[in-house]
Amino acid sequence: MIHAAIVGLGNWGQRLVTSAQGKSDRIRFTAGVTRTVAKAVDFAKLHDFPLGSDYAAVLADPAIDAVVLATPHSMHVQQIVQAAQSGKPIYVEKPFALTRESAEKAVQACRQSGVLLAVGFNRRFLPAVQEVKRLVDSGKLGKIVHIEGSFSGPSSALRGVAGGWRLTRAENPGGGMTGKGIHIVDAMIHLCGGLADSVFAHSERRVLDADIDDTTTLMLHFQNGVTGYLSTILATPKFWRLHVFGSQGWAEIRDESLLTVCGTDGKSTVTEYPTDALKASLEGFADAVTGARPWPVTFEQAVNGSAVLEAVEASARSGRAISLM
């Protein structure tokens, strides 16, 4: 059992806590840090951990084994560097950095200190995604040629307080990319077996009153020749899809749970899987801290995800493809 501090107790930080607290024998939250203590004090009492606003104090506490960062995107890199210098393993919500340069800075700090950095791409822990990965690696789908997906739906921030950081363009380049689309990018990197090397994107605000884009699409090319397409739309009901096309078959996941697999005979099978990825990802982090198993997202993959995010904004502004290599 590792003892972790949750840093950031907005909506998502609270969801991370409730996904595992009292339900896991591998991780427990024993401290909390937030900018406005009064807003989360009742939550902290309910889940039986002390709450404060001093991040440095948590990093200096030998009783804390690791930190879990659920803070605004632009704060991640500095907080990662501080945790790395203190020797604390880090689980950080995605995107862990908004640019390739800042992502590389965070990774370098962790490499120098020999500290674990786990970027919270929890969809890698979805059983349906794990099954598609098995199909890809086994060769059952043949040579992978194309992958596409969509993660869309209204942002929870749109129901929050006006002026919140999740409704600012500076914290949310590429509209739904930071909250939703980045998960699909990581799944593509994971499943196709290569890093993205170019991005061509279109992103605009068509419906929302907030100063963020609500309709974003992009085409990707990967180092191994696989092509990709992604859409993330904040001005539509929830929709989740991931589809891998191979020379001997295809596999499609809908709603994170329904997996359809089709072979060259044209016959398809449908299997439903559970969708509890948050608890599984935190337990995966705990296992990585204790050395039971490695964290599945490599430094190179995490940096590549941030490079794609940065390129989406650059491509949408310039109207041209952006090379990542």
Side-chain angles (χ1 to χ4, degrees), residues 76-111:
H76 290 167
V77 172
Q78 183 57 37
Q79 290 174 333
I80 290 168
V81 171
Q82 290 175 267
Q85 291 172 344
S86 76
K88 302 285 190 195
I90 306 134
Y91 178 106
V92 57
E93 270 305 319
K94 47 74 212 152
F96 86 109
L98 296 174
T99 66
R100 180 208 293 269
E101 181 180 5
S102 60
E104 290 174 341
K105 177 183 177 181
V107 164
Q108 182 62 18
C110 293
R111 281 192 168 126

Short mmCIF file of all heavy atoms in Angstrom, two decimals, residues 76-111:
data_model
loop_
_atom_site.label_atom_id
_atom_site.label_comp_id
_atom_site.label_asym_id
_atom_site.label_seq_id
_atom_site.Cartn_x
_atom_site.Cartn_y
_atom_site.Cartn_z
N HIS A 76 1.62 21.91 -14.24
CA HIS A 76 2.16 20.56 -14.11
C HIS A 76 3.68 20.51 -14.13
O HIS A 76 4.30 19.85 -13.30
CB HIS A 76 1.61 19.65 -15.22
CG HIS A 76 0.18 19.33 -15.08
ND1 HIS A 76 -0.57 18.76 -16.09
CD2 HIS A 76 -0.69 19.50 -14.04
CE1 HIS A 76 -1.81 18.58 -15.69
NE2 HIS A 76 -1.91 19.04 -14.45
N VAL A 77 4.29 21.15 -15.11
CA VAL A 77 5.73 20.99 -15.30
C VAL A 77 6.51 21.43 -14.07
O VAL A 77 7.39 20.71 -13.58
CB VAL A 77 6.20 21.73 -16.57
CG1 VAL A 77 7.74 21.72 -16.65
CG2 VAL A 77 5.62 21.06 -17.81
N GLN A 78 6.22 22.61 -13.54
CA GLN A 78 6.93 23.08 -12.35
C GLN A 78 6.69 22.16 -11.17
O GLN A 78 7.61 21.86 -10.40
CB GLN A 78 6.52 24.51 -12.01
CG GLN A 78 7.27 25.10 -10.83
CD GLN A 78 8.78 25.10 -11.02
OE1 GLN A 78 9.28 25.32 -12.13
NE2 GLN A 78 9.51 24.85 -9.95
N GLN A 79 5.46 21.68 -11.02
CA GLN A 79 5.16 20.77 -9.91
C GLN A 79 5.87 19.44 -10.09
O GLN A 79 6.30 18.82 -9.10
CB GLN A 79 3.65 20.58 -9.79
CG GLN A 79 2.93 21.83 -9.30
CD GLN A 79 1.42 21.69 -9.31
OE1 GLN A 79 0.86 20.93 -10.10
NE2 GLN A 79 0.75 22.42 -8.44
N ILE A 80 6.00 18.97 -11.33
CA ILE A 80 6.75 17.73 -11.59
C ILE A 80 8.21 17.92 -11.23
O ILE A 80 8.83 17.06 -10.58
CB ILE A 80 6.60 17.33 -13.07
CG1 ILE A 80 5.18 16.84 -13.36
CG2 ILE A 80 7.62 16.23 -13.45
CD1 ILE A 80 4.87 16.69 -14.84
N VAL A 81 8.79 19.03 -11.66
CA VAL A 81 10.20 19.30 -11.36
C VAL A 81 10.43 19.33 -9.85
O VAL A 81 11.39 18.75 -9.33
CB VAL A 81 10.65 20.63 -12.01
CG1 VAL A 81 12.03 21.03 -11.52
CG2 VAL A 81 10.65 20.49 -13.53
N GLN A 82 9.54 20.01 -9.11
CA GLN A 82 9.67 20.08 -7.66
C GLN A 82 9.58 18.69 -7.03
O GLN A 82 10.37 18.35 -6.13
CB GLN A 82 8.58 20.98 -7.07
CG GLN A 82 8.74 22.45 -7.37
CD GLN A 82 7.54 23.24 -6.85
OE1 GLN A 82 6.57 23.50 -7.56
NE2 GLN A 82 7.62 23.63 -5.60
N ALA A 83 8.62 17.88 -7.48
CA ALA A 83 8.47 16.53 -6.93
C ALA A 83 9.67 15.67 -7.26
O ALA A 83 10.15 14.90 -6.42
CB ALA A 83 7.19 15.90 -7.46
N ALA A 84 10.18 15.79 -8.48
CA ALA A 84 11.36 15.01 -8.88
C ALA A 84 12.55 15.37 -8.00
O ALA A 84 13.30 14.48 -7.55
CB ALA A 84 11.68 15.27 -10.34
N GLN A 85 12.74 16.63 -7.73
CA GLN A 85 13.86 17.07 -6.89
C GLN A 85 13.72 16.57 -5.45
O GLN A 85 14.72 16.39 -4.76
CB GLN A 85 13.96 18.59 -6.93
CG GLN A 85 14.41 19.13 -8.28
CD GLN A 85 14.32 20.64 -8.39
OE1 GLN A 85 13.67 21.31 -7.58
NE2 GLN A 85 14.98 21.21 -9.41
N SER A 86 12.48 16.33 -5.03
CA SER A 86 12.26 15.81 -3.68
C SER A 86 12.31 14.29 -3.63
O SER A 86 12.28 13.70 -2.54
CB SER A 86 10.89 16.27 -3.15
OG SER A 86 9.84 15.53 -3.76
N GLY A 87 12.36 13.66 -4.80
CA GLY A 87 12.42 12.20 -4.87
C GLY A 87 11.08 11.51 -4.82
O GLY A 87 11.01 10.28 -4.68
N LYS A 88 9.98 12.26 -4.97
CA LYS A 88 8.64 11.66 -4.91
C LYS A 88 8.20 11.19 -6.30
O LYS A 88 8.22 11.96 -7.26
CB LYS A 88 7.61 12.68 -4.42
CG LYS A 88 7.87 13.29 -3.05
CD LYS A 88 7.57 12.35 -1.92
CE LYS A 88 7.61 13.12 -0.60
NZ LYS A 88 7.68 12.24 0.57
N PRO A 89 7.74 9.95 -6.44
CA PRO A 89 7.11 9.51 -7.69
C PRO A 89 5.86 10.34 -7.99
O PRO A 89 5.18 10.80 -7.06
CB PRO A 89 6.75 8.05 -7.43
CG PRO A 89 7.63 7.64 -6.30
CD PRO A 89 7.81 8.87 -5.45
N ILE A 90 5.56 10.50 -9.28
CA ILE A 90 4.50 11.43 -9.70
C ILE A 90 3.52 10.75 -10.63
O ILE A 90 3.92 10.13 -11.63
CB ILE A 90 5.11 12.63 -10.44
CG1 ILE A 90 6.21 13.31 -9.62
CG2 ILE A 90 4.03 13.62 -10.88
CD1 ILE A 90 7.45 13.62 -10.43
N TYR A 91 2.24 10.89 -10.31
CA TYR A 91 1.15 10.59 -11.25
C TYR A 91 0.57 11.94 -11.62
O TYR A 91 0.14 12.70 -10.73
CB TYR A 91 0.10 9.71 -10.59
CG TYR A 91 -1.12 9.37 -11.44
CD1 TYR A 91 -1.27 8.10 -11.99
CD2 TYR A 91 -2.13 10.31 -11.67
CE1 TYR A 91 -2.40 7.77 -12.74
CE2 TYR A 91 -3.25 9.99 -12.44
CZ TYR A 91 -3.37 8.72 -12.96
OH TYR A 91 -4.49 8.40 -13.71
N VAL A 92 0.55 12.27 -12.91
CA VAL A 92 0.08 13.58 -13.32
C VAL A 92 -1.03 13.45 -14.36
O VAL A 92 -0.92 12.64 -15.29
CB VAL A 92 1.23 14.45 -13.87
CG1 VAL A 92 1.94 13.78 -15.03
CG2 VAL A 92 0.75 15.85 -14.26
N GLU A 93 -2.07 14.22 -14.18
CA GLU A 93 -3.15 14.20 -15.16
C GLU A 93 -2.69 14.74 -16.50
O GLU A 93 -1.78 15.56 -16.59
CB GLU A 93 -4.35 15.01 -14.64
CG GLU A 93 -5.33 14.17 -13.85
CD GLU A 93 -5.84 12.97 -14.62
OE1 GLU A 93 -6.11 13.08 -15.84
OE2 GLU A 93 -5.96 11.89 -14.01
N LYS A 94 -3.33 14.27 -17.55
CA LYS A 94 -3.00 14.71 -18.89
C LYS A 94 -3.73 16.01 -19.21
O LYS A 94 -4.76 16.30 -18.58
CB LYS A 94 -3.32 13.62 -19.92
CG LYS A 94 -4.72 12.99 -19.74
CD LYS A 94 -5.82 13.87 -20.16
CE LYS A 94 -7.09 13.74 -19.41
NZ LYS A 94 -7.83 14.98 -19.40
N PRO A 95 -3.22 16.81 -20.13
CA PRO A 95 -1.86 16.70 -20.66
C PRO A 95 -0.84 17.12 -19.61
O PRO A 95 -1.07 18.10 -18.90
CB PRO A 95 -1.87 17.66 -21.85
CG PRO A 95 -2.88 18.70 -21.48
CD PRO A 95 -3.94 17.97 -20.70
N PHE A 96 0.26 16.38 -19.52
CA PHE A 96 1.21 16.72 -18.47
C PHE A 96 2.02 17.95 -18.84
O PHE A 96 2.67 18.57 -17.98
CB PHE A 96 2.11 15.53 -18.16
CG PHE A 96 3.33 15.37 -19.02
CD1 PHE A 96 4.59 15.60 -18.48
CD2 PHE A 96 3.23 14.95 -20.33
CE1 PHE A 96 5.73 15.44 -19.26
CE2 PHE A 96 4.35 14.78 -21.11
CZ PHE A 96 5.61 15.03 -20.57
N ALA A 97 1.99 18.34 -20.12
CA ALA A 97 2.65 19.57 -20.58
C ALA A 97 1.95 20.04 -21.83
O ALA A 97 1.40 19.24 -22.60
CB ALA A 97 4.13 19.30 -20.86
N LEU A 98 1.97 21.35 -22.06
CA LEU A 98 1.26 21.93 -23.21
C LEU A 98 2.15 22.10 -24.43
O LEU A 98 1.66 22.41 -25.51
CB LEU A 98 0.66 23.28 -22.81
CG LEU A 98 -0.44 23.21 -21.74
CD1 LEU A 98 -0.86 24.61 -21.31
CD2 LEU A 98 -1.65 22.42 -22.24
N THR A 99 3.47 21.91 -24.27
CA THR A 99 4.41 22.02 -25.39
C THR A 99 5.44 20.91 -25.30
O THR A 99 5.68 20.35 -24.22
CB THR A 99 5.15 23.37 -25.39
OG1 THR A 99 6.01 23.44 -24.24
CG2 THR A 99 4.18 24.54 -25.39
N ARG A 100 6.07 20.61 -26.43
CA ARG A 100 7.14 19.61 -26.42
C ARG A 100 8.29 20.05 -25.52
O ARG A 100 8.84 19.25 -24.75
CB ARG A 100 7.66 19.38 -27.85
CG ARG A 100 8.78 18.33 -27.90
CD ARG A 100 9.71 18.58 -29.06
NE ARG A 100 9.06 18.38 -30.33
CZ ARG A 100 9.04 17.22 -30.99
NH1 ARG A 100 9.67 16.18 -30.50
NH2 ARG A 100 8.43 17.13 -32.16
N GLU A 101 8.68 21.33 -25.61
CA GLU A 101 9.82 21.82 -24.84
C GLU A 101 9.59 21.66 -23.34
O GLU A 101 10.48 21.20 -22.61
CB GLU A 101 10.09 23.29 -25.17
CG GLU A 101 11.28 23.87 -24.43
CD GLU A 101 11.54 25.33 -24.78
OE1 GLU A 101 10.73 25.93 -25.52
OE2 GLU A 101 12.56 25.87 -24.29
N SER A 102 8.39 22.03 -22.87
CA SER A 102 8.13 21.90 -21.44
C SER A 102 8.00 20.44 -21.03
O SER A 102 8.40 20.06 -19.92
CB SER A 102 6.88 22.68 -21.05
OG SER A 102 5.73 22.21 -21.75
N ALA A 103 7.48 19.59 -21.91
CA ALA A 103 7.40 18.16 -21.63
C ALA A 103 8.80 17.57 -21.46
O ALA A 103 9.05 16.77 -20.55
CB ALA A 103 6.66 17.45 -22.76
N GLU A 104 9.71 17.97 -22.33
CA GLU A 104 11.08 17.47 -22.25
C GLU A 104 11.76 17.95 -20.98
O GLU A 104 12.57 17.23 -20.38
CB GLU A 104 11.86 17.89 -23.48
CG GLU A 104 11.41 17.15 -24.74
CD GLU A 104 12.07 17.67 -26.01
OE1 GLU A 104 12.59 18.81 -25.99
OE2 GLU A 104 12.05 16.94 -27.02
N LYS A 105 11.44 19.17 -20.53
CA LYS A 105 11.98 19.68 -19.27
C LYS A 105 11.54 18.81 -18.10
O LYS A 105 12.36 18.47 -17.21
CB LYS A 105 11.53 21.13 -19.06
CG LYS A 105 11.97 21.73 -17.73
CD LYS A 105 11.44 23.16 -17.55
CE LYS A 105 11.82 23.73 -16.19
NZ LYS A 105 11.28 25.11 -16.00
N ALA A 106 10.26 18.47 -18.06
CA ALA A 106 9.74 17.64 -16.98
C ALA A 106 10.37 16.25 -16.99
O ALA A 106 10.76 15.71 -15.95
CB ALA A 106 8.22 17.53 -17.09
N VAL A 107 10.46 15.67 -18.18
CA VAL A 107 11.05 14.34 -18.31
C VAL A 107 12.52 14.35 -17.89
O VAL A 107 13.00 13.44 -17.20
CB VAL A 107 10.89 13.84 -19.76
CG1 VAL A 107 11.82 12.66 -20.03
CG2 VAL A 107 9.44 13.43 -20.01
N GLN A 108 13.25 15.38 -18.29
CA GLN A 108 14.66 15.47 -17.93
C GLN A 108 14.83 15.53 -16.42
O GLN A 108 15.74 14.90 -15.86
CB GLN A 108 15.30 16.70 -18.59
CG GLN A 108 16.78 16.86 -18.30
CD GLN A 108 17.63 15.72 -18.83
OE1 GLN A 108 17.18 14.95 -19.70
NE2 GLN A 108 18.84 15.58 -18.33
N ALA A 109 13.98 16.28 -15.73
CA ALA A 109 14.06 16.38 -14.27
C ALA A 109 13.85 15.01 -13.63
O ALA A 109 14.54 14.65 -12.66
CB ALA A 109 13.03 17.37 -13.75
N CYS A 110 12.90 14.24 -14.17
CA CYS A 110 12.63 12.91 -13.61
C CYS A 110 13.75 11.93 -13.93
O CYS A 110 14.11 11.09 -13.09
CB CYS A 110 11.29 12.39 -14.14
SG CYS A 110 9.87 13.34 -13.54
N ARG A 111 14.32 12.04 -15.12
CA ARG A 111 15.45 11.17 -15.47
C ARG A 111 16.64 11.46 -14.56
O ARG A 111 17.31 10.54 -14.07
CB ARG A 111 15.84 11.39 -16.93
CG ARG A 111 14.93 10.66 -17.92
CD ARG A 111 15.54 10.67 -19.30
NE ARG A 111 14.85 9.76 -20.20
CZ ARG A 111 14.35 10.09 -21.38
NH1 ARG A 111 14.46 11.34 -21.81
NH2 ARG A 111 13.75 9.20 -22.14
#
